[in-house]
Amino acid sequence: MTYNSLIDIKNLSEDNFFRLLECADKMSKGLLPVKHHSKTVANLFYENSTRTLVSFELAAKRLGLCCTSLAMNNSSEAKGEVFLDTIQTLGAMSIDAFVIRHRQENLIIEAEKALPQYGFINAGNGMHAHPSQALLDIFTITQHVADYPKYHNLKIVIVGDVKHSRVANSFIEALKKLGVMDIRICAPSYFQPREKLEGVAIDISLARALEDADIVYNLRVQKERFDSNEQLDFDDYIDQYQLSNEKLQNIHPKAIIMHPGPINRGIEITSEVADGPRSKILKQVENGVYMRMAILDWVLTPYT
Ligand code: NCD
């Protein structure tokens, strides 16, 4: 049996990208697919997680799948077992698909190549990719802007720590697949992308970047990913880049604010914005379950 895998957005075909959006929409309306009664999914999270782990668990359960989650700091890898052996050991217990979050970027890529008998879903690999987050974000955008051709004209501004963000990488890839033409990053020089990104404008001025923006996508300062030589003057960052109602005055009147969470209130975003009428942060969390149901359904639907 060969399953599908979701490692990053770049390698997801356009057909499958739009199919996942359609399927998440059906899930959100309670239209469940035929259940995969006999299939089993394992969530292996080697990094902290709240929303991603729980939403993958709930998505599996709502599809009627058998699901197990392992906190990997309690696993046998602490005893020296290598990653591929862990996968094969668990696979021997008839697991069909693995949802994996790991600090090392290459492990899930190697596992997908070495063990094609399993489906793999990347729930975040280092600073590389977080495709399920990008898909749920795009689903949230399509709910807000229901009219398809309008996507091309959206102005989307990503504000914050892009440098350490796997979410930004996947989100940008997904926006391009959706056909968005105006994608901007607004960040100080020390938070700009590590590599040049085709088709993405970069601005250090928040006031200029936000003018007429339709979607403002805010990122957390990911301090746990800083190198030992990286430091941040928080007061200066807050002063220049924290999203507040005052700084958002010139965005489009119907604009929305998004954030993948977890939010650091008072750092990259004020509470008045995070909890305000334009915030879609909890909608993103809700949609995360529907999108992960769609992803699991697609991964476990074998090629014909
Ligand atoms: C993101 C992640 O883990 O990359 N969170 C998430 O999955 N919702 C973003 C972050 O940690 O800031």
Side-chain angles (χ1 to χ4, degrees):
M1 184 101 60
T2 310
Y3 296 118
N4 294 320
S5 284
L6 178 67
I7 307 296
D8 57 28
I9 298 289
K10 209 183 265 176
N11 291 309
L12 183 68
S13 72
E14 213 155 283
D15 266 8
N16 286 329
F17 175 80
F18 286 104
R19 186 178 152 182
L20 285 168
L21 290 173
E22 265 170 44
C23 187
D25 184 50
K26 285 191 186 137
M27 301 291 180
S28 74
K29 293 173 176 148
L31 303 168
L32 294 182
V34 178
K35 292 187 177 183
H36 300 274
H37 282 299
S38 56
K39 307 268 170 74
T40 303
V41 177
N43 293 315
L44 313 185
F45 277 61
Y46 294 80
E47 276 188 347
N48 296 345
S49 177
T50 305
R51 72 220 78 224
T52 306
L53 174 59
V54 173
S55 72
F56 267 114
E57 259 181 27
L58 291 178
K61 287 175 182 161
R62 286 179 193 169
L63 287 175
L65 295 162
C66 178
C67 172
T68 182
S69 296
L70 204 56
M72 295 311 291
N73 42 0
N74 296 331
S75 80
S76 286
E77 278 181 49
K79 299 183 191 168
E81 185 172 72
V82 297
F83 182 73
L84 286 185
D85 283 335
T86 304
I87 300 289
Q88 297 203 77
T89 302
L90 295 169
M93 298 181 223
S94 297
I95 283 167
D96 298 281
F98 293 92
V99 180
I100 296 170
R101 170 171 285 192
H102 204 293
R103 195 172 49 84
Q104 271 172 262
E105 298 181 5
N106 57 333
L107 287 183
I108 190 164
I109 298 166
E110 285 165 11
E112 193 226 350
K113 283 194 190 121
L115 303 168
Q117 64 272 42
Y118 305 118
F120 288 96
I121 300 171
N122 183 3
N125 60 336
M127 293 189 273
H128 178 241
H130 194 348
S132 67
Q133 180 69 44
L135 285 162
L136 76 88
D137 290 335
I138 298 294
F139 177 48
T140 306
I141 292 174
T142 60
Q143 282 180 332
H144 177 66
V145 189
D147 190 359
Y148 178 81
K150 283 198 186 143
Y151 301 148
H152 301 269
N153 301 326
L154 289 175
K155 175 177 176 181
I156 308 215
V157 187
I158 303 167
V159 182
D161 179 4
V162 178
K163 181 178 181 186
H164 304 100
S165 176
R166 54 193 175 203
V167 170
N169 293 340
S170 291
F171 185 53
I172 289 167
E173 290 295 336
L175 288 173
K176 288 181 184 168
K177 283 220 153 82
L178 192 67
V180 176
M181 312 287 277
D182 192 349
I183 309 171
R184 279 155 208 255
I185 283 171
C186 181
S189 54
Y190 50 84
F191 277 164
Q192 285 179 13
R194 287 167 293 152
E195 285 164 21
K196 188 172 163 23
L197 301 168
E198 271 327 301
V200 179
I202 297 189
D203 203 333
I204 55 166
S205 157
L206 187 63
R208 192 169 48 211
L210 288 182
E211 215 175 322
D212 275 332
D214 296 292
I215 288 158
V216 182
Y217 195 96
N218 194 204
L219 293 169
R220 184 173 65 87
V221 173
Q222 291 143 89
K223 216 163 174 288
E224 74 283 6
R225 299 189 200 284
F226 283 21
D227 281 346
S228 50
N229 60 354
E230 285 179 291
Q231 278 178 8
L232 178 66
D233 178 341
F234 274 94
D235 290 337
D236 187 55
Y237 184 76
I238 289 168
D239 188 41
Q240 293 200 53
Y241 292 97
Q242 181 190 66
L243 294 186
S244 61
N245 278 343
E246 199 191 334
K247 293 207 192 82
L248 291 166
Q249 266 172 16
N250 289 330
I251 59 176
H252 190 281
K254 288 192 180 152
I256 56 169
I257 313 297
M258 299 175 72
H259 190 306
I263 57 169
N264 282 172
R265 288 175 186 270
I267 303 214
E268 72 271 8
I269 192 165
T270 61
S271 284
E272 57 181 8
V273 174
D275 304 330
R278 291 186 289 210
S279 169
K280 293 285 175 193
I281 297 172
L282 291 178
K283 192 72 189 167
Q284 288 168 267
V285 177
E286 179 192 335
N287 284 339
V289 179
Y290 305 134
M291 180 48 80
R292 283 156 181 147
M293 288 169 81
I295 292 168
L296 286 169
D297 184 52
W298 171 72
V299 165
L300 292 167
T301 307
Y303 295 127
T304 46

